[in-house]
């Protein structure tokens, strides 16, 4: 629900920008809103199914230490991506992050991880640089 609120805030903020400045946050805001809505629906579905399966006096298993570490790992992946984004910019950060995440966390082969990373980066380039003629952030290491 917090993510839904953040997505709505992004959309409201983007609406206040000029057309060219607000295009990217507006696009990302709608994607963010769709993904946050999907997450809420999946969590509600899981919650409803879990409530049906549990006896009335049982509140389910306590959170396992592995689950906590898995959640912390998700935040570490996000922090690594944001740091990489700041340092290397969108295109380079995308290909490095998606390759690393797919290879290490997704346990895919080198070839699969490379193909997914290349496809995502190509999509990002075609949509933003080529079609929208949007200048992507180059990062502090490669800034002019």
């Amino acid at each position: 629900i917090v993510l839904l609120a953040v997505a709505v805030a992004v959309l409201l903020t983007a609406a206040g920008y000029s057309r060219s400045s607000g295009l990217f946050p507006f696009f990302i805001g709608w994607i963010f809103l769709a993904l946050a809505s999907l997450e809420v629906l999946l969590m509600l579905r899981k919650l409803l199914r879990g409530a049906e399966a549990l006896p009335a006096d049982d509140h389910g298993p306590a959170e396992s230490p592995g689950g906590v570490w898995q959640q912390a790992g998700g935040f570490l992946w996000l922090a690594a991506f944001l740091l990489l984004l700041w340092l290397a910019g969108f295109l380079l950060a995308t290909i490095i992050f998606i390759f690393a995440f797919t290879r290490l966390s997704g346990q895919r082969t080198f070839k699969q991880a490379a193909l997914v990373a290349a496809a995502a980066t190509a999509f990002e380039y075609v949509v933003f640089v080529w079609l929208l003629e949007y200048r992507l952030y180059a990062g502090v290491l490669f800034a002019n």
Side-chain angles (χ1 to χ4, degrees):
I1 293 173
V2 171
L3 292 177
L4 280 173
V6 172
V8 169
V10 168
L11 286 170
L12 291 174
T13 302
Y17 294 149
S18 70
R19 177 163 162 66
S20 61
S21 296
L23 187 61
F24 182 71
F26 192 71
F27 179 71
I28 295 300
W30 279 110
I31 292 173
F32 189 13
L33 183 65
L35 292 174
S37 299
L38 180 63
E39 179 67 18
V40 168
L41 290 174
L42 291 174
M43 294 300 278
L44 285 173
R45 182 176 162 204
K46 183 179 177 182
L47 190 67
L48 291 174
R49 284 188 177 173
E52 294 170 0
L54 292 176
D57 62 340
D58 189 7
H59 297 293
E63 178 118 13
S64 68
V68 172
W69 285 111
Q70 187 177 11
Q71 290 178 8
F75 283 109
L76 290 174
W77 277 110
L78 179 59
F81 178 63
L82 292 175
L83 178 64
L84 192 58
L85 187 66
W86 178 68
L87 289 172
F90 276 98
L91 291 175
L92 193 55
T94 299
I95 200 161
I96 292 169
F97 175 79
I98 291 179
F99 175 81
F101 185 80
T102 307
R103 180 80 172 116
L104 300 174
S105 188
Q107 300 175 344
R108 300 293 183 213
T109 65
F110 183 89
K111 183 179 179 182
Q112 289 172 329
L115 286 172
V116 169
T121 306
F123 176 79
E124 179 182 20
Y125 180 83
V126 167
V127 169
F128 293 106
V129 176
W130 194 54
L131 293 175
L132 296 175
E133 297 178 359
Y134 194 83
R135 186 170 182 255
L136 294 175
Y137 177 69
V140 296
L141 295 177
F142 304 108
N144 297 352

